[in-house]
Amino acid sequence: MFDVELEGQILEGATTFSMTNSQVANITAKIVGKGGVPATVDGALEWATSDGTLATIEVLPEPPDGTKAKLWPTGPLGDVKVTCTGDADLGAGVK
């Protein structure tokens, strides 16, 4: 789940959103566990897009937990999936 800022408007709890190829989106990852309860992760978050020819994502340096990123269109219009993953198993191991 993400909060998305697009041209001054905030979309809270977004799972999908639309943008043009001239817009830039600021995205904040909302780390939640079962039932939507806020959760923590162990280590850095990893952001990705499903198609780098359509959009690029850059993790912002602040805050240092990696929960904020910027999404830019890089090509023609199309559908792109943005993912943000992290290790929810605090301590040794990955979950």
Side-chain angles (χ1 to χ4, degrees):
M1 184 176 344
F2 303 103
D3 287 348
V4 178
E5 180 185 353
L6 190 61
E7 293 191 346
Q9 293 189 342
I10 306 281
L11 307 168
E12 292 185 14
T15 56
T16 63
F17 65 96
S18 297
M19 58 190 284
T20 69
N21 61 353
S22 65
Q23 295 175 307
V24 175
N26 292 305
I27 304 174
T28 302
K30 303 304 256 181
I31 310 300
V32 294
K34 291 182 180 178
V37 176
T40 57
V41 293
D42 190 12
L45 297 175
E46 294 183 25
W47 291 82
T49 64
S50 60
D51 189 339
T53 65
L54 297 178
T56 299
I57 194 142
E58 175 190 353
V59 178
L60 299 176
E62 293 295 329
D65 63 2
T67 55
K68 293 187 182 248
K70 191 170 288 252
L71 181 70
W72 282 278
T74 55
L77 294 177
D79 294 332
V80 175
K81 181 178 181 179
V82 173
T83 57
C84 181
T85 58
D87 179 4
D89 181 19
L90 302 180
V94 176
K95 186 175 186 179

